[in-house]
Every structure is written in C-alpha cells, then in structure tokens.
Amino acid sequence: MDDVADAVGVSRATVSNAYNRPDQLSAQLREEVLRAAKRIGYAGPNPTARSLATSRTGAIAVLLDTNLSTAFSDPALSVTLDALTTVVDPEGHALLLLPGDGESGGPRAERILTAQADIAVAYSLADGAPALNAVRDRGMPLVVIDQPHIRGSARIGVADRAGAAAAARHLVELGHRRIGIFSAQCLSAPRGGELSVAEAGNSRFHDNRERMAGYLETLAEAGIPAADVPIWEASGLSVEGALPSAFGLLDRHPRPTALLCMSDLLALAAISAARHLGLSVPGDLSVVGFDDVPPARWSEPPLTTVRQDLAAKGRAAGELVLSLLRGEKLPAPAEIPAELVVRDSTAPA
C-alpha cells in the first residue's frame, strides 16, 4: 500500500479507500490508484489481515443436516440459500457450507468450533444436534431456518401444521378414506419403513412433528382415526433414496387411494413408484406434496402441493443475518404462510 501511495502521490488511507470506500474518491483518482496497484503487483488489502484488524471474517457458516450431494439435490435448499445470498452478498458476506454427518442431525461439533465465521445459520437441523451446542459455546449469533426452535436465536419458518391440514382436508373433500402418510426422515433406527403414530410423533425434526399433527388431526376430524392411517418413513431424502419406502407404502392391502407426502421430492418418488406398479396418478392414486419446488410444476402429472414462499424465507433469513451482525435487538420468531396449490395429481376417490 505504501508503494502504491508513493507512486500516485497520495496517502495510504486514500489507497485503502480505493478498495474499501470507493465513494470517498473521485472516479478518476480511484482509477489512477488501481492502475498503479496493478502495475506494482498489489492485489488489494489482504483478507486475513483485514479479519485480524476487524475481528470479522465476512463468512456465514450454514449448518446442514446432510452431506452436500444430498443437500444440493434438494431444490428447496437451493432456492432458499440463493435468496439468502442475494441479501448478504452485497454487504460483502459469503457462505461457508458445513455438511451434516448423517447421524447427529447436523455437522460435527468440532467443525463448528474451528469454522472461521461471524455467524451461524442452521438450516433445518434436528433437535439436539451437537453442532448447536458448539455454536452456543462459541457465543456465535444464530439464525434458524425452519428448525429447531432455540431460545436466543432468530428464526424464520413456515406454517407447517396449517399447510398439512389444508392438504389433508383437500383429500377428504375429494372423498378419500384410505389415506397414507409418506414421512420425511425422522432419524429413527433403523431408517425407513413403517412407523407407528408414537414413533412418528417422536421425530427429531420439528417440521415433521408439525406436519404429522396437521395431517392426523384433520383426518381424525373427518372420522379417519390415526390407527387407520399407514405411515412410512423415507429411507433417504432424494427421490431415489425414498423409492424403497414408496414401494412399501403402495404395497399395502388395501392399498391407499391417496398419499400425503411431507415434501415434493417424496411425492415425486411416490409418483415414480406408482408408475412402476402400473398405477395411474391420479386415477388410482392421488398424491399431495409440500414445498412447491420448481420440479413440482414440471412433473407428470403436475403436482398438487402445499406452497411455501422459499425465496421469501431465504430473503428473510438474510435480513436476520445482517440485523444480528449489526448488533440489533433479537427479533421475535416469524413464520411465512403456507397455501394449498391444486394441480393434476389429485382427483376424486
């Protein structure tokens, strides 16, 4: 910086402003500084030195509950994180993705303790994930997207129970009585397969429990007791990983005439399994998803689903990140609404 300042005949502070506060210089002076820097071989302020001086890294640790290949196959995650990035990127912040270990419902705790980040964003982690204790031990600010519910964190979620109730009500109004539930992973042992109502209610994921309650309460109000509702847990989060459980659910006798699926990917797996079994959707089987990710609109048939505004949720999470980094007061937890979107994958029983 001193060499550049001498070459241009300005102060060291002016060189710094050319990179960090360009609005403080005229366009002509800034261009002159940058030309001199390029000629001398100076690439700009060193990020490591800057972080030592400011005690800020500019990184946001995003805690995931799965490995990256599984996470990147989830359109809901992609839409949400893309929207979050549009908010924080202009402020100079970048995302540091920390994948889950597949067992504890989040990244390894020691990974959190060594991560160079200013704030943590927990994306749909399991209750009691050790990574969250590590965040607390470091005293890092925490933003939660969906789950878990943690006192002292900022959270943005969705009205899971109300959305699930709308999906169940739709099938009841179509005259369906044999309705199955295709559950997202609960971190049960062993993974996948049929669940009792009690086992489903003990899921380590808050949104699973809320959606399950919305389904079962609405069906019970229609005279369909929980004991008559088969519940199967997906053995994976992707369409391919969920197929074995989808086949198991559709192999029951009597077979369900309709399925309530806790995500669109599970619904797409159910449609694929039905097609392999020679079943027509919606002629033989009605299917309802949850999320309204882009593939839901392109599926064959287009998927009836519960829509949550994933982009709005991501933007809200980004605003929470910036608010906490500015040291502002912790806001109350917020929820975005959920609404049923009826397409062609459901029909009268």
Side-chain angles (χ1 to χ4, degrees), residues 25 30 38 63 72 88 96 102 175 238-239 320 326 334 336 346:
L25 308 181
R30 182 171 188 262
K38 184 175 182 180
L63 319 184
F72 287 152
V88 302
L96 172 64
S238 65
V239 172
L320 290 174
R326 290 191 294 262
I336 61 173
T346 52

Side-chain angles (χ1 to χ4, degrees), residues 96-221:
L96 172 64
L97 301 183
L98 302 181
D101 60 12
E103 297 296 328
S104 65
R108 292 178 291 109
E110 54 267 30
R111 186 68 187 87
I112 307 302
L113 295 174
T114 59
Q116 296 187 35
D118 304 318
I119 189 170
V121 174
Y123 182 87
S124 202
L125 299 193
D127 292 346
L132 297 171
N133 293 331
V135 170
R136 181 197 61 208
D137 291 344
R138 278 192 59 176
M140 294 176 72
L142 175 64
V143 172
V144 175
I145 299 177
D146 290 333
Q147 58 192 337
H149 291 203
I150 302 176
R151 184 175 299 175
S153 67
R155 189 180 72 84
I156 179 69
V158 64
D160 289 297
R161 187 178 297 219
R169 194 175 304 114
H170 172 63
L171 293 180
V172 168
E173 290 172 351
L174 289 173
H176 291 280
R177 305 292 295 178
R178 300 202 310 271
I179 300 173
I181 296 176
F182 198 5
S183 171
Q185 284 196 61
C186 301
L187 291 185
S188 62
R191 303 286 170 80
E194 192 163 12
L195 296 175
S196 67
V197 173
E199 289 170 331
N202 286 329
S203 171
R204 289 180 58 195
F205 293 96
H206 184 270
D207 65 351
N208 284 12
R209 299 193 299 271
E210 286 292 288
R211 294 178 191 183
M212 187 66 64
Y215 294 147
L216 293 178
E217 289 169 0
T218 303
L219 295 179
E221 290 170 2

Side-chain angles (χ1 to χ4, degrees), residues 5-26:
D6 290 343
V8 182
V10 296
S11 69
R12 180 188 177 100
T14 298
V15 177
S16 175
N17 284 342
Y19 291 93
N20 300 317
R21 291 175 293 277
D23 58 304
Q24 301 294 310
L25 308 181
S26 69

